[in-house]
Amino acid sequence: MSDQLGFSTRAVHAGFDPDLQTGAVNVPIYASSTFAQDGVGGMRGGYEYARTGNPTRAALEANLAALESGTYGRAFASGMAATDCAIRANLRPGDHMVIPNDAYGGTFRLIDKVFTQWGIEYSVAPVSDADAVAAAMRPNTKLVWVETPTNPLLNVGDIAALAEVAHAGGAKLVVDNTFASPYLQQPLLLGADIALHSTTKYLGGHSDVVGGALITNDQEMDAKFAFLQNGAGAVPGPMDAFLTLRGIKTLALRMDRHCDNAETISEFLANHPKIAQVIYPGLPEHPGHTVAQKQMRRFGGMISVRVHGGKDAALAFCAKTKIFTLAESLGGVESLIEHPGAMTHASTAGSALEVPADLVRLSVGIEDISDLLSDIEQALA
Ligand SMILES: *Cc1c(COP(=O)(O)O)cnc(C)c1O
């Protein structure tokens, strides 16, 4: 579907037209691992075996491509499976990649614990400083890996500037767009080569399915992703693909509410005496505010705070909220709170990526703002 159409129109319609036989307006959950052939090699609808391709997954993949204004979309069993595929499609032993100095803990763990065993080298650099990223590149750098905003410190990288830096050094730019979602930011339009998602988060949006995605305009790159989907097999099942598509239809509505609530909460926290620092790209004092304004529609639903009183105060805040549920993950309709140092980012302990002990991360949901504010107020009292 053409990207002349508006974002929400694409979110609702891209990837599937009403079924010719039944008129069903939603793609069926094709619970079939294999597809009958009319004679050897005579595939009826382009499908032979569901690891290679499944119609429900194909509808999701076409939808994901349309959301990112990209040409090709590929769905994976998780965000980490997508990460694994993006790295293996681009790096060989002896190659090097640059990663954020505050990368998602799981991304760091995969690269540091698994890929280094296979001869892949990495350096860390702050995504907010394109010159530092350029300085971290080497002649054998094949990928520059960026999250923006980053998880959990919400640093903002200038995607267009980082694309120039990566390309000048002969590398590809991957943007993990999980925190922004394609509604708020579209990396391919800013020069990135690959947009990556944990669809588990805002795209699925209801904390009921795990998945990942890679979107690109590069046909050769997409062919490598398709080869690895089939060859390594980390694909989502049809029920997961259906749930993710169902979530995507309301992405724009949900994101606007996430942003409304997060803007109000960030201002409330910025004036709270128990809070030492509020990290939210929508606040004018955030160092990445101007870049975020330039490349994002709004500033997202994630807020991190540093609490006066160190780790104990941070843990107490997490323990006392009632509507904000203490849990890992983010991007669902329900508000969540967590302590990155002990939870999502525990794997960074002792490394250059270690997060502050007084840090608390909020995934602001779509509940009534008055209830969310009262909950935070009583938890900090
Ligand atoms: C959650 C997350 C991932 C990993 O995705 P899974 O679906 O949990 O495998 C990758 N990047 C970011 C920024 C994330 O928040």
Side-chain angles (χ1 to χ4, degrees):
M1 190 163 285
S2 119
D3 44 69
Q4 260 64 293
L5 293 169
F7 184 87
S8 285
T9 309
R10 283 180 272 152
V12 172
H13 292 288
F16 188 70
D17 292 324
D19 187 73
L20 284 178
Q21 271 183 333
T22 65
V25 295
N26 286 305
V27 66
I29 301 161
Y30 282 92
S32 195
S33 59
T34 190
F35 298 85
Q37 302 186 16
D38 295 325
V40 175
M43 287 183 272
R44 293 179 193 175
Y47 299 98
E48 52 185 339
Y49 183 61
R51 167 158 39 74
T52 326
N54 170 291
T56 317
R57 188 175 104 209
L60 170 63
E61 291 177 330
N63 186 280
L64 289 164
L67 289 185
E68 283 287 8
S69 306
T71 314
Y72 308 101
R74 296 284 166 188
F76 292 85
S78 68
M80 290 318 304
T83 300
D84 178 69
C85 178
I87 296 172
R88 278 192 290 151
N90 284 287
L91 283 88
R92 299 284 170 275
D95 289 342
H96 174 260
M97 63 191 291
V98 180
I99 65 171
N101 66 355
D102 57 347
Y104 170 66
T107 303
F108 172 68
R109 181 176 55 203
L110 176 66
I111 295 162
D112 183 62
K113 297 280 190 288
V114 180
F115 279 111
T116 55
Q117 292 188 54
W118 299 92
I120 285 168
E121 301 165 7
Y122 73 91
S123 305
V124 302
V127 296
S128 56
D129 184 348
D131 293 336
V133 171
M137 290 180 70
R138 300 180 188 166
N140 57 340
T141 303
K142 294 288 163 58
L143 274 190
V144 173
W145 194 277
V146 165
E147 288 171 31
T148 179
T150 60
N151 179 2
L153 291 172
L154 301 170
N155 283 309
V156 172
D158 183 331
I159 296 173
L162 290 162
E164 267 181 44
V165 160
H167 296 157
K172 306 265 191 205
L173 179 70
V174 181
V175 175
D176 180 338
N177 201 27
T178 299
F179 262 44
S181 89
Y183 179 60
L184 299 182
Q185 171 175 283
Q186 299 187 357
L188 300 181
L189 296 181
L190 298 164
D193 300 284
I194 300 165
L196 178 148
H197 285 280
S198 166
T199 58
T200 314
K201 315 293 170 52
Y202 286 108
L203 289 169
H206 296 74
S207 304
D208 55 7
V209 59
V210 170
L214 296 174
I215 301 101
T216 183
N217 291 323
D218 177 344
Q219 189 178 7
E220 246 178 79
M221 181 73 70
D222 180 65
K224 290 181 187 172
F225 296 161
F227 182 86
L228 283 168
Q229 273 186 322
N230 185 48
V235 292
M239 184 69 195
D240 290 353
F242 174 83
L243 282 172
T244 306
L245 258 180
R246 180 184 160 103
I248 285 171
K249 291 176 197 287
T250 55
L251 178 64
L253 292 171
R254 287 185 284 106
M255 282 318 296
D256 272 327
R257 179 67 165 246
H258 285 295
C259 292
D260 288 344
N261 285 352
E263 282 165 20
T264 306
I265 289 172
S266 68
E267 281 160 24
F268 173 80
L269 288 167
N271 294 311
H272 199 287
K274 297 265 176 75
I275 299 297
Q277 188 191 357
V278 181
I279 308 169
Y280 183 65
L283 292 173
E285 58 266 34
H286 188 288
H289 181 66
T290 311
V291 174
Q293 234 169 0
K294 183 179 74 171
Q295 68 189 16
M296 296 176 78
R297 189 195 294 257
R298 297 184 69 182
F299 305 102
M302 299 301 298
I303 302 173
S304 289
V305 292
R306 299 187 68 171
V307 183
H308 281 304
K311 184 176 182 182
D312 290 344
L315 293 175
F317 181 23
C318 294
K320 281 195 203 144
T321 54
K322 295 184 177 124
I323 295 174
F324 279 84
T325 302
L326 178 59
E328 302 201 357
S329 199
L330 62 108
V333 290
E334 68 288 296
S335 292
L336 302 177
I337 189 167
E338 69 121 358
H339 185 266
M343 295 171 65
T344 46
H345 292 66
S347 66
T348 63
S351 79
L353 283 76
E354 186 167 331
V355 293
D358 59 4
L359 191 76
V360 171
R361 191 187 76 182
L362 302 171
S363 173
V364 178
I366 65 166
E367 300 95 334
D368 290 285
I369 185 63
S370 53
D371 293 329
L372 296 180
L373 288 172
S374 323
D375 191 35
I376 291 172
E377 198 164 21
Q378 66 78 27
L380 287 172

